[in-house]
Amino acid sequence: MDMLNPHCGIARDDRGVVRLTICNAGKLNIVSSAVTNGVREGFEHLAADPSIRAVILTGESERSMIGGADIKEMARLDQPSAEAFISRLRDLCEAVRKFPAPVIARLPGWCLGGGLEVAAACDVRVAAHDAMFGMPEVRVGIPSVIHAALLPRLIGWGRARWLMMTAENIDAQTALAWGLVDTVAKPGGLDQAVEHTVKALLECGPEALRIQKDLLRQWEELPLTESVNLSVGVFGKSFQTGEPQRLLQGFLDRKR
């Protein structure tokens, strides 16, 4: 693993799959301002590389991908510094959400608050069998903000309200049933479950996946009619890459 900065480690395999590891963030991979900036810098650095097929976001500790935001730092904030602090976390979530290639959240252990916001910004969430999820902010006197706004889109308004207003935690099976995570691994099988998703992504057209991710991100923000009409032009432009012609012809050739 190469260290891009003190808080971001990068390992890349020959398939174009990058494992981005959050480093030097404590046992629960807590995101302070320094950690947040380091991981954001990692995503921004990698975003310029068109050969990357997928990114696996993980923590250095097996107790969490991100256990939450740094409470010690937050306890010292006033209004201006609080807005600066949360803006840095917002920018990290946006760097993940707008990253050109698919991003997989590898989720062992605890995923709380800011950690769940980062996970929600990822494209796919793969959880360990004993992972736990929650939005505990209201218990320490602050609202859940920024990319907590993605939660109603993932799990519905009722469940999002329950999660953010009760500050109760849910287990991995509940998270799967709600649609908060996409896969729950068998005991000891988190990396195998992540690899299963990676292989599925690698079987798809790389340009098509990048186009699809960008289109999905726009659909999150547009009304239905605009989403449908936008898609027509995106479909046509996808043929400029040459990828549809090559993959469609390959499919036809295999059927002969």
Side-chain angles (χ1 to χ4, degrees):
M1 182 172 67
D2 297 322
M3 295 302 296
L4 191 63
N5 59 57
H7 299 295
C8 181
I10 303 293
R12 176 172 176 160
D13 67 22
D14 57 8
R15 303 174 298 174
V17 178
V18 172
R19 190 179 181 100
L20 191 157
T21 302
I22 302 167
C23 300
N24 300 311
K27 293 180 180 179
L28 284 174
N29 292 312
I30 298 298
V31 286
S32 63
S33 291
V35 175
T36 299
N37 286 340
V39 179
R40 175 186 52 77
E41 288 171 7
F43 274 101
E44 291 175 350
H45 173 78
L46 295 172
D49 187 343
S51 67
I52 292 175
R53 299 290 304 274
V55 172
I56 302 165
L57 178 59
T58 186
E60 194 172 31
S61 167
E62 283 299 299
R63 294 177 63 183
S64 177
M65 182 187 82
I66 297 174
D70 189 342
I71 294 176
K72 292 180 180 179
E73 183 177 352
M74 287 193 290
R76 301 190 299 268
L77 300 177
D78 56 15
Q79 182 176 348
S81 59
E83 291 179 3
F85 178 90
I86 203 64
S87 293
R88 285 187 283 270
L89 186 55
R90 175 203 62 196
D91 293 345
L92 167 57
C93 291
E94 281 298 285
V96 173
R97 184 168 167 261
K98 294 180 178 179
F99 191 81
V103 180
I104 302 167
R106 179 186 179 276
L107 300 167
W110 293 95
C111 184
L112 302 174
L116 187 48
E117 289 159 8
V118 174
C122 295
D123 301 292
V124 182
R125 286 159 291 281
V126 181
H129 75 286
D130 56 353
M132 296 292 293
F133 302 86
M135 297 296 290
E137 285 87 344
V138 292
R139 287 191 180 168
V140 292
I142 55 177
S144 297
V145 294
I146 57 166
H147 289 70
L150 292 171
L151 296 180
R153 294 163 170 81
L154 290 172
I155 62 177
W157 281 101
R159 287 167 173 164
R161 284 191 181 97
W162 187 91
L163 204 60
M164 286 184 269
M165 296 181 74
T166 68
E168 291 287 307
N169 297 327
I170 60 173
D171 62 18
Q173 290 300 328
T174 302
L176 180 64
W178 285 12
L180 186 60
V181 301
D182 302 293
T183 303
V184 173
K186 296 177 181 178
L190 181 56
D191 285 321
Q192 292 92 325
V194 169
E195 178 61 19
H196 178 83
T197 297
V198 167
K199 288 180 177 178
L201 293 172
L202 293 178
E203 290 176 359
C204 302
E207 292 299 325
L209 270 181
R210 286 173 171 248
I211 292 169
Q212 188 68 76
K213 173 169 180 174
D214 183 61
L215 190 58
L216 283 163
R217 182 177 57 80
Q218 294 183 73
W219 283 349
E220 288 177 341
E221 301 175 0
L222 292 175
L224 177 60
T225 299
E226 290 182 46
S227 296
V228 171
N229 291 337
L230 171 69
S231 303
V232 173
V234 172
F235 181 81
K237 288 180 181 178
S238 71
F239 282 79
Q240 295 177 354
T241 68
E243 193 173 86
Q245 296 90 329
R246 176 173 57 83
L247 295 180
L248 287 167
Q249 189 59 53
F251 178 83
L252 293 173
D253 291 343
R254 289 193 299 273
K255 290 295 182 180
R256 289 176 181 171

